[in-house]
Amino acid sequence: MLNAKLEALQESFNPSVLTQLLDPLFKEKEIELWVKRDDLIHPIISGNKWRKLKYILDHALTLGADSIISMGGAYSNHLHALAFAGKQLNLKTLAYIRGERPKNFSPTLKDLQLWGMELRFVSRTEYRELRGYKSHDSLPGLDKGQYWLPEGGATELALKGVAEIISEINLDYDILCVPCGTGATLAGLIKANTAKNMIYGFSALKGGDFLFQDVEKLLKQQTTNWTVQLDYHFGGFAKTNNELKLFMQHFLSQHAIELEPVYTAKMFYALYDLIQQDQFKPGQRLIAIHTGGLQGNRS
Ligand SMILES: *Cc1c(COP(=O)(O)O)cnc(C)c1O
């Protein structure tokens, strides 16, 4: 049973529909590509960030926490979701933001401020140190009632919310695809995936091989039916180029689905590329999760 306040917040969510994408390329290669539209679950709280936050917030409320402290960049989808959810749940929120306080706030930072999140700008060194605190009570100097949430909400409790994605899919599939930052969403899918199908993560970061370790750490065991595609980072986290931008425009006009350049556009670009290169077998059905994050497109 969820905390009653969370239950009430959950009422404001929409179902995440599963739709098939049509394209002459998929027809030629005899591949089916479906999208699970987690981008549509809420007008403000971004797709996979809600999945990850749900049971973490429930845990915090159960412990009697009155504030959540977390960390992220100036465009963070995680902080954006946390600040809004915190406001709805009457929880105070505080965030350590990487880098100097900008003169002009990004739309994301403006929202955080509007929703009452306290913002503390920290150096890259301090930020890196904060990454080392992994459990909710591990941040030095925490007061009573303060709950620490590591970067990206990447904790074991996040996996439980992500697992609900799998239980909502009522279609057989061969490969389930998801973009990766911390890998917590990928880990939640792997954990919940009981069938013998494959799960593919797509790293949004350069040098994403750390994901193999981090995902295993979150899972606390070795499993085999997953992998991470490392070659579609487009130069690194939040880096983009004209080819990716053109792809996003093309995708929008063809499928009427908006993507963002940090995570989802890179995954769908990769899928088109892999299908083109015959990396999947004819007859295979792929499901890709649109993890949302569209608030980031404002800047
Ligand atoms: C945060 C985010 C991801 C990555 O999720 P992780 O659990 O950190 O791997 C993917 N897509 C979008 C849109 C995100 O905001």
Side-chain angles (χ1 to χ4, degrees):
M1 271 268 291
L2 275 183
N3 180 287
K5 282 204 259 175
L6 263 176
E7 202 67 70
L9 178 56
Q10 176 137 290
E11 295 286 304
S12 63
F13 279 77
N14 305 307
S16 161
V17 293
L18 194 59
T19 48
Q20 187 175 5
L21 298 185
L22 299 175
D23 191 293
L25 173 70
F26 308 158
K27 203 169 170 173
E28 178 203 326
K29 304 288 187 182
E30 296 175 51
I31 296 294
E32 277 188 24
L33 178 58
W34 293 68
V35 188
K36 184 152 172 63
R37 301 288 308 273
D38 261 28
D39 57 316
L40 297 178
I41 61 176
H42 194 276
I44 293 170
I45 303 180
S46 173
N48 73 327
K49 296 307 184 279
W50 168 248
R51 303 282 190 180
K52 293 199 282 184
L53 278 174
K54 185 171 159 186
Y55 291 100
I56 290 168
L57 293 173
D58 191 51
H59 183 228
L61 290 169
T62 304
L63 292 176
D66 58 22
S67 61
I68 313 277
I69 308 178
S70 194
M71 63 190 287
Y75 302 93
S76 168
N77 293 328
H78 163 65
L79 293 181
H80 196 256
L82 176 65
F84 186 81
K87 184 172 159 64
Q88 302 303 308
L89 298 168
N90 239 333
L91 285 166
K92 280 182 276 188
T93 53
L94 186 159
Y96 292 103
I97 316 259
R98 181 177 40 204
E100 268 171 45
R101 171 182 280 269
K103 273 207 199 73
N104 298 310
F105 271 21
S106 63
T108 308
L109 289 177
K110 281 184 190 159
D111 281 347
L112 303 186
Q113 210 170 32
L114 183 70
W115 297 327
M117 181 175 256
E118 187 184 332
L119 308 180
R120 290 195 196 154
F121 293 84
V122 296
S123 69
R124 273 149 211 281
T125 317
E126 288 170 279
Y127 192 87
R128 221 172 299 126
E129 270 167 32
L130 288 169
R131 279 195 174 133
Y133 304 111
K134 301 284 188 195
S135 74
H136 71 87
D137 53 4
S138 62
L139 185 73
L142 276 185
D143 284 335
K144 192 170 166 290
Q146 291 184 322
Y147 186 101
W148 166 246
L149 183 51
E151 189 175 37
T155 72
E156 222 185 305
L157 274 173
L159 275 51
K160 187 173 169 190
V162 171
E164 293 178 351
I165 294 176
I166 299 267
S167 60
E168 289 168 13
I169 297 176
N170 50 10
L171 186 72
D172 289 332
Y173 55 89
D174 298 289
I175 302 167
L176 189 62
C177 304
V178 71
C180 296
T182 64
T185 309
L186 173 63
L189 295 174
I190 295 166
K191 192 169 178 184
N193 185 37
T194 49
K196 52 189 180 317
N197 36 42
M198 275 297 280
I199 307 206
Y200 279 21
F202 294 81
S203 178
L205 294 89
K206 195 168 162 176
D209 28 345
F210 71 88
L211 284 161
F212 287 99
Q213 268 187 8
D214 284 11
V215 167
E216 239 162 45
K217 237 183 256 164
L218 283 165
L219 289 170
K220 296 196 166 137
Q221 63 179 40
Q222 290 194 329
T223 43
T224 50
N225 59 337
W226 62 281
T227 189
V228 185
Q229 298 288 332
L230 300 173
D231 299 334
Y232 294 95
H233 54 71
F234 286 78
F237 188 69
K239 296 262 165 57
T240 180
N241 64 19
N242 272 335
E243 200 180 344
L244 192 64
K245 283 181 201 153
L246 283 173
F247 174 78
M248 283 169 64
Q249 282 168 18
H250 176 75
F251 196 91
L252 178 63
S253 61
Q254 193 180 17
H255 304 298
I257 297 177
E258 191 181 351
L259 303 174
E260 46 67 55
V262 183
Y263 296 103
T264 51
K266 291 179 182 178
M267 171 183 68
F268 280 105
Y269 181 99
L271 284 170
Y272 267 77
D273 199 46
L274 294 169
I275 291 171
Q276 183 71 51
Q277 294 175 28
D278 299 310
Q279 296 291 320
F280 302 108
K281 295 191 193 81
Q284 283 192 319
R285 180 185 285 146
L286 319 181
I287 297 180
I289 298 164
H290 189 323
T291 41
L294 300 175
Q295 68 89 18
N297 278 352
R298 296 173 301 171
S299 42

